[in-house]
Amino acid sequence: MSSLNNIPPVGFGLWKVAQEDCAQTVYQAIKAGYRHLDCASDYGNEEQVGDGIAQAINDGLCTREELWVTSKLWNTFHAPEHVELAIDKTLSDLKLEYLDLYLIHFPIAQTFVPIETRYPPEWFVDPDAQNPQMELAKVPLHLTWQAMEEQVHNNKAKRIGVCNYSSALIHDLMTYATIKPAMLQIESHPYLTQERIIRLAKQYDIPVTAFSPLGALSYLELEMADQTESVLEQSVVKAAAQNHGKTPAQVVLRWGVQRGTAIIPKTSKFERMKENLALFDFELTEQEMAQISALNSNRRFNDPGHFCEAAFNRFHPIYD
């Protein structure tokens, strides 16, 4: 895999971290050694992430320059005139002058919702309507990308990239990008190895970050996955864990890093935070890597083609 632009290969994901726990969780993560934080306006906790970062810097745990902070442009801010509005709100919440990386969260443009009306805007244009709808906006992705490039020119983002893009969208992006995407963030774990798109990204020299690197674990509480779908229970994972004196989770995370992607696991437990970082004193064998990759069943947990219809009254697939 190409250089990850010096991104720390193991980041800390902030999705689903409750506001009341978030500042302390971020502080503890930085204390545990994390220097890469993965945020998004849609997670609804950037203000608290900012508090945690400020406290950590204040207490001398790290400097701003030592941190890599990623955030994401939400669907309702895709129109060129709203991109700067969105990044300004994120920077103000995070109490930062710049982001290390700003990503388009989904290749889905939705109707603009003013910040003073509702923030984060989420998926419904009006959640209080009798039949709330997810409403699309006619904004082509190339215009959104142009506005993202502006944020690099005005020093609000050091790098820009995309999340949840398909191969076809990446090919398309590379025809018009004057600033090349510095990252592709996609769901990837042993049940969804995504070899083709990772190979394509490598061909274009775009680094890859894998979200949900432990698969089903992030989705159990949302009822988007089943208890039986835990990759940590697989015999090849357990055997590798025994061989290396590591936990099954460390083996799966090591598999993610060893195949050249950055990963963003999430946990609220300090011991687990440290455990998820301790991936660099062992190496899986080629056979172990192949056996874990062979668990692939193309099981995608985070799929708008499913959850938009189930939760937001609109069938909206973005993957074939």
Side-chain angles (χ1 to χ4, degrees):
M1 183 56 60
S2 60
S3 133
L4 289 171
N5 281 322
N6 305 322
I7 188 171
V10 185
F12 192 83
L14 276 310
W15 181 43
K16 298 199 284 74
V17 178
Q19 283 185 357
E20 59 271 22
D21 306 325
C22 190
Q24 193 50 26
T25 299
V26 167
Y27 185 84
Q28 291 296 337
I30 292 171
K31 194 174 180 179
Y34 288 86
R35 294 297 177 264
H36 164 193
L37 302 171
D38 185 81
C39 323
S41 69
D42 187 53
Y43 303 164
N45 56 14
E46 288 196 320
E47 235 179 295
Q48 292 76 20
V49 173
D51 293 340
I53 291 173
Q55 192 192 342
I57 291 173
N58 229 4
D59 291 357
L61 298 186
C62 65
T63 63
R64 168 63 186 102
E65 293 67 38
E66 287 168 336
L67 290 177
W68 175 297
V69 182
T70 296
S71 187
K72 307 178 190 86
L73 175 81
W74 186 241
N75 307 346
T76 55
F77 296 101
H78 272 223
E81 64 272 22
H82 299 142
V83 172
E84 189 159 29
L85 192 69
I87 197 172
D88 284 349
K89 171 66 172 153
T90 278
L91 288 172
S92 149
D93 284 351
L94 291 171
K95 301 159 200 58
L96 299 176
E97 285 176 17
Y98 65 89
L99 293 170
D100 297 274
L101 177 64
Y102 198 43
L103 303 169
I104 294 177
H105 202 148
F106 282 99
I108 301 172
Q110 290 181 241
T111 303
F112 175 64
V113 175
I115 288 171
E116 43 289 357
T117 302
R118 192 173 66 257
Y119 190 86
E122 299 185 322
W123 293 84
F124 284 135
V125 67
D126 177 10
D128 300 324
Q130 203 170 354
N131 294 306
Q133 292 295 321
M134 172 187 162
E135 201 176 279
L136 301 182
K138 290 187 175 179
V139 183
L141 286 169
H142 72 91
L143 291 183
T144 306
W145 186 257
Q146 229 172 359
M148 294 285 283
E149 293 183 336
E150 283 302 306
Q151 307 320 308
V152 178
H153 296 313
N154 61 25
N155 299 318
K156 293 182 181 183
K158 288 194 182 263
R159 303 163 193 81
I160 50 176
V162 294
C163 293
N164 302 305
Y165 268 43
S166 63
S167 299
L169 287 179
I170 291 167
H171 286 304
D172 188 48
L173 172 61
M174 296 308 282
T175 65
Y176 58 75
T178 59
I179 297 177
K180 213 178 82 171
M183 188 64 67
L184 166 67
Q185 188 178 120
I186 51 172
E187 178 182 347
S188 189
H189 41 76
Y191 291 155
L192 184 70
T193 53
Q194 298 260 45
E195 271 138 27
R196 280 159 60 124
I197 199 166
I198 290 173
R199 182 178 166 192
L200 177 68
K202 188 175 186 179
Q203 199 169 292
Y204 279 125
D205 203 31
I206 305 170
V208 175
T209 296
F211 71 78
S212 305
L214 293 170
L217 293 188
S218 300
Y219 299 95
L220 292 172
E221 67 204 69
L222 301 174
E223 294 180 357
M224 288 162 74
D226 196 277
Q227 201 71 50
T228 58
E229 295 186 277
S230 173
V231 69
L232 306 184
E233 297 303 319
Q234 290 283 356
S235 54
V236 292
V237 171
K238 287 178 160 176
Q242 207 163 1
N243 290 348
H244 296 281
K246 292 287 179 179
T247 65
Q250 284 173 314
V251 164
V252 173
L253 296 176
R254 174 69 206 183
W255 171 86
V257 169
Q258 203 166 311
R259 66 205 291 256
T261 61
I263 55 171
I264 40 176
K266 176 204 121 190
T267 178
S268 52
K269 300 181 176 72
F270 189 64
E271 283 317 304
R272 191 67 50 77
M273 287 179 187
K274 289 196 288 194
E275 180 188 302
N276 288 351
L277 275 177
L279 308 177
F280 300 96
D281 56 352
F282 75 108
E283 197 168 317
L284 298 171
T285 65
E286 267 180 52
Q287 189 187 6
E288 287 166 336
M289 288 293 289
Q291 286 171 330
I292 295 169
S293 295
L295 296 171
N296 181 51
S297 58
N298 297 321
R299 171 67 165 107
R300 192 186 291 281
F301 295 102
N302 195 324
D303 187 346
H306 293 308
F307 70 71
C308 286
E309 188 169 28
F312 307 119
N313 305 328
R314 188 183 193 106
F315 174 56
H316 196 80
I318 60 173
Y319 310 109
D320 296 330

